[in-house]
Amino acid sequence: MSVIYDRVALLGLGLIAGSMALAMREKGLAGRIVGHARSAETRQTALEIGLVDEVFDTAAEAVKGADLVVFCVPVGVMGQLAAEVAPHLETGATVSDVGSVKGAVIKAIAPHIPEGVHFIPGHPLAGTEHSGPRAGFASLFHNRWCLLTPLEGTDPKALDRLRQLWTEMGANVDEMDAAHHDLVLAVTSHAPHLIAYTMVGVADDLKRVTEREVINYSAAGFRDFTRIAASDPTMWRDVFLNNKEATLEILGRFTEELFDLQRAIRRGDGQQLFDYFTRTRAIRRGIIEAGQDTDAPDFGRVGKD
Ligand code: NAP
């Protein structure tokens, strides 16, 4: 594959930026990859392990001469960083981001984007519970969706080029309106994370079950909650603060259904429970058929641990 962008500047050098850098390198999609992160330690690590060719102490220096700039920092700091880099962006460059929330990120970044620079927000639906520059891997985006939420009047050529980059990194690309993106993600990611955080918190609070029992017997379902609940606290704080409306709407619906199921258990309404679980089982089947998870027993863990 040939080079798609001559100089890519990654702002933030954690799991997502690291995976992008490795994926771009593997396929030769970028002429040069440079980066910036808040701490000298992260910058040094990113350079040492070969994620980037060069690091800069400031974001403003990092974006100079780049034809693609990607914000890979927590959602809550994107606005401040956009203000900082805006005067240094190259005319004709594309600015994108990988933030898990789109409406708030657009509000934070768009006002700073100068005339002649293309701003195309994006969100790869891929990740792990690990973070930092060492957490990245080249295949993270393989067969995962990357949602682009272009604003009205976006230059079709700039959009095509960014689409091509994500496709070459292994992702399936789709376009969506930002508000709809935030609602979809509230259902598929944000509310489930809050529920997992809560369940793990409840287990921690419940003094009648010992910590040892929770740890030893976690394979019965709880373990999958703990993986999600181990996700980066900064990232997830920012997600909830910035996708407030959609998350609250879905959590409202969730609590209503939970109460309904609670009542079915209390009343001994086996039919209601059975029907509900039959419907949800079909959703799991759909995810597997779409190639978005494995149908191996216990998520393929059996015999591995
Ligand atoms: P991460 O591994 O924690 O990396 C975050 C990076 O941002 C670190 O390099 C950090 O630098 C840097 N950073 C934080 N504040 C900064 C600031 N003020 N100025 C400059 N750099 C700063 O996070 P990640 O998982 O890659 O997530 C990055 C973005 O991707 C987030 O917006 C998140 O919503 C989105 N996302 C995450 C996932 C996921 O599952 N993890 C999936 C899709 C999208 P230091 O190391 O020096 O602190």
Side-chain angles (χ1 to χ4, degrees):
M1 181 64 211
S2 54
V3 167
I4 299 176
Y5 292 98
D6 291 325
R7 188 178 172 98
V8 177
L10 300 172
L11 304 180
L13 293 165
L15 166 72
I16 301 295
S19 300
M20 287 183 75
L22 293 171
M24 286 189 278
R25 284 200 185 290
E26 193 177 80
K27 297 273 227 66
L29 306 174
R32 197 168 170 75
I33 306 174
V34 304
H36 161 76
R38 178 176 45 181
S39 68
E41 192 190 342
T42 296
R43 296 196 293 268
Q44 189 55 31
T45 306
L47 200 57
E48 262 169 34
I49 63 176
L51 295 185
V52 288
D53 300 305
E54 204 176 344
V55 285
F56 292 91
D57 292 352
T58 68
E61 286 173 281
V63 304
K64 281 183 191 157
D67 49 358
L68 176 66
V69 174
V70 191
F71 286 73
C72 305
V73 291
V75 164
V77 296
M78 289 197 186
Q80 154 210 328
L81 215 53
E84 213 178 302
V85 302
H88 308 278
L89 293 167
E90 208 63 26
T91 303
T94 291
V95 169
S96 189
D97 76 290
V98 295
S100 307
V101 172
K102 295 275 61 86
V105 163
I106 292 171
K107 233 189 228 165
I109 296 182
H112 301 290
I113 301 295
E115 193 75 21
V117 172
H118 311 288
F119 173 42
I120 310 174
H123 178 204
L125 307 191
T128 72
E129 66 279 25
H130 300 296
S131 48
R134 291 185 192 278
F137 53 98
S139 62
L140 178 67
F141 310 114
H142 285 189
N143 200 27
R144 295 285 168 251
W145 285 93
C146 178
L147 300 178
L148 300 178
T149 60
L151 311 179
E152 234 183 83
T154 296
D155 179 52
K157 274 201 196 120
L159 181 59
D160 269 358
R161 202 166 158 204
L162 188 62
R163 230 178 197 283
Q164 200 192 345
L165 178 75
W166 280 106
T167 306
E168 288 299 329
M169 289 194 293
N172 307 315
V173 183
D174 211 351
E175 281 170 41
M176 208 178 259
D177 161 67
H180 191 62
H181 165 281
D182 289 352
L183 182 65
V184 170
L185 267 291
V187 174
T188 58
S189 171
H190 306 167
H193 269 78
L194 199 73
I195 293 160
Y197 279 123
T198 316
M199 196 55 232
V200 175
V202 166
D204 189 45
D205 274 350
L206 197 69
K207 301 295 176 224
R208 273 175 299 150
V209 178
T210 67
E211 199 179 307
R212 179 128 308 281
E213 283 169 321
V214 170
I215 293 168
N216 284 353
Y217 310 132
S218 70
F222 183 72
R223 188 170 56 178
D224 298 318
F225 281 108
T226 63
R227 186 189 65 74
I228 297 173
S231 300
D232 187 65
T234 307
M235 170 185 157
W236 284 96
R237 177 203 61 198
D238 285 6
V239 166
F240 293 120
L241 294 180
N242 289 281
N243 196 18
K244 207 169 171 172
E245 252 171 62
T247 309
L248 290 178
E249 181 188 335
I250 300 307
L251 285 172
R253 301 282 288 267
F254 172 80
T255 3
E256 283 170 23
E257 301 259 322
L258 191 65
F259 278 133
D260 208 30
L261 290 177
Q262 210 170 308
R263 204 175 321 112
I265 295 171
R266 199 184 313 284
R267 285 199 315 251
D269 189 343
Q271 192 60 47
Q272 184 183 345
L273 295 174
F274 185 85
D275 291 347
Y276 201 93
F277 303 157
T278 304
R279 182 153 65 87
T280 55
R281 189 176 220 191
I283 292 174
R284 170 77 189 153
R285 226 175 284 132
I287 291 171
I288 290 159
E289 276 161 23
Q292 295 299 308
D293 206 351
T294 167
D295 68 347
D298 199 17
F299 303 96
R301 285 195 195 104
V302 174
K304 285 190 187 148
D305 54 7

